[in-house]
Amino acid sequence: MARRKRTSLVLERAVRRAASINSIDPSLDLGNRLTLPAFSTLIETMRTRENAYNSALSSLDKLYREMLETEDELGDMTEHMLMAVGTRYGKSSVEYGMAGGVPKNQRRKGLRGESSTPSDEQLEFVASVEGKNGNKTVATS
């Protein structure tokens, strides 16, 4: 998704104001460096920077799309490399494991109704309950 380009309401208002002031006097000098030429110069500077910013966003969008395409290619090639190692050396080989695959003879097939977590890693449940007489009892499972 392309990044949203920036438009400046302050810039638009300044352009309208400069046009209005220009109708009063094109070389108006209000003192303290408040002149129409200085105002116009600052408007052009802002316009240039806004355009540069929006161009940079477009370039960034292009780089992002290119990066995502390369990432997809890399993911596909990673998978193909592992499959090729499996084809050449076999899926039960040490080389297949070295390439990042799980050798076929080391795969664990789950039985129906068996949880995905091994039984030695099951969590222990501890509950503390206060009885009627104020004594606390602890239950574990």
Side-chain angles (χ1 to χ4, degrees):
M1 186 166 119
R3 296 176 199 309
R4 193 168 175 195
K5 305 303 184 269
R6 189 176 193 290
T7 58
S8 173
L9 297 175
V10 173
L11 177 61
E12 292 173 12
R13 190 173 357 149
V15 168
R16 283 192 307 269
R17 180 141 314 144
S20 298
I21 292 172
N22 190 41
S23 67
I24 296 171
D25 181 8
S27 60
L28 184 66
D29 185 353
L30 300 170
N32 288 338
R33 299 182 312 216
L34 296 175
T35 64
L36 189 57
F39 191 44
S40 297
T41 301
L42 190 55
I43 288 171
E44 285 307 311
T45 301
M46 177 58 193
R47 186 175 283 141
T48 300
R49 289 191 177 159
E50 183 181 63
N51 288 338
Y53 176 81
N54 289 335
S55 294
L57 285 181
S58 294
S59 297
L60 188 62
D61 287 338
K62 180 182 178 216
L63 289 172
Y64 182 69
R65 280 192 310 273
E66 290 171 352
M67 182 192 68
L68 290 179
E69 289 171 4
T70 305
E71 187 177 42
D72 287 343
E73 284 181 49
L74 181 61
D76 289 345
M77 189 168 186
T78 300
E79 185 178 348
H80 289 140
M81 293 291 287
L82 180 62
M83 290 187 326
V85 169
T87 300
R88 174 170 284 177
Y89 296 102
K91 288 190 175 181
S92 294
S93 68
V94 173
E95 292 83 1
Y96 186 72
M98 290 171 62
V102 177
K104 205 173 188 180
N105 56 3
Q106 292 181 8
R107 289 189 193 143
R108 183 171 169 262
K109 294 187 179 177
L111 301 174
R112 273 190 204 165
E114 185 176 332
S115 68
S116 61
T117 58
S119 60
D120 57 19
E121 292 182 13
Q122 287 183 352
L123 300 175
E124 187 174 308
F125 175 77
V126 178
S128 175
V129 180
E130 190 170 322
K132 291 180 185 178
N133 58 3
N135 294 336
K136 288 189 179 183
T137 59
V138 178
T140 61
S141 65

